[in-house]
Amino acid sequence: MDSDSSLIPSLSTGVVGSRFVTETELDTAKARREEQWKAAYARLGQEPPPQQQEDSYDGRSLAEKLAANKVLLYYAAVCIILTFSKIAKQEEWEEKTKLGKQYDSQFSSLTYFDTGS
């Protein structure tokens, strides 16, 4: 049994292990990067801009996220189509009323006389 365990490579050694990074290494790299940014802004005599907050964990699967985005895109497309439809109807109505107003303005100066018949 001991000979079998020596044949299985450890994740912490070799090529595979070199690709993994521990959380403490990530935290120290982040802290070092923040210190460098602060030092650079201090040299310029400016205050660094506020840091962006990290994204919160979303436990949904990729398929669920894509489905949600698909629904949002569908609703956005429907809203755009309805907006253009309303704009087209509004333009059509304005065109109709414009012709009516032109007609009214041409004949508004005419006086109709009651013949009394």
Side-chain angles (χ1 to χ4, degrees):
M1 191 77 175
D2 290 333
S3 63
D4 289 342
S5 64
S6 64
L7 295 176
I8 300 173
S10 173
L11 288 179
S12 61
T13 62
V15 177
V16 175
S18 65
R19 287 189 249 162
F20 289 100
V21 180
T22 63
E23 188 172 352
T24 55
E25 291 174 332
L26 289 175
D27 291 339
T28 55
K30 183 178 176 182
R32 187 173 354 121
R33 194 170 43 247
E34 287 177 6
E35 289 174 14
Q36 290 172 347
W37 274 105
K38 288 179 183 179
Y41 275 101
R43 285 191 301 266
L44 294 173
Q46 298 177 357
E47 190 168 319
Q51 296 290 324
Q52 292 182 351
Q53 293 188 9
E54 293 184 19
D55 295 335
S56 61
Y57 175 72
D58 189 2
R60 298 180 297 169
S61 68
L62 179 60
E64 291 171 332
K65 292 176 188 178
L66 292 174
N69 285 341
K70 187 176 182 180
V71 168
L72 290 176
L73 288 175
Y74 173 77
Y75 285 130
V78 168
C79 290
I80 290 170
I81 291 169
L82 290 175
T83 302
F84 282 127
S85 174
K86 287 180 182 180
I87 291 171
K89 287 179 183 178
Q90 179 70 25
E91 289 175 351
E92 181 182 344
W93 182 81
E94 287 175 357
E95 187 66 28
K96 286 180 183 178
T97 58
K98 183 172 87 172
L99 292 174
K101 289 178 184 176
Q102 287 176 353
Y103 178 78
D104 289 342
S105 66
Q106 288 177 355
F107 295 106
S108 65
S109 61
L110 297 177
T111 306
Y112 294 100
F113 296 100
D114 187 15
T115 59
S117 24

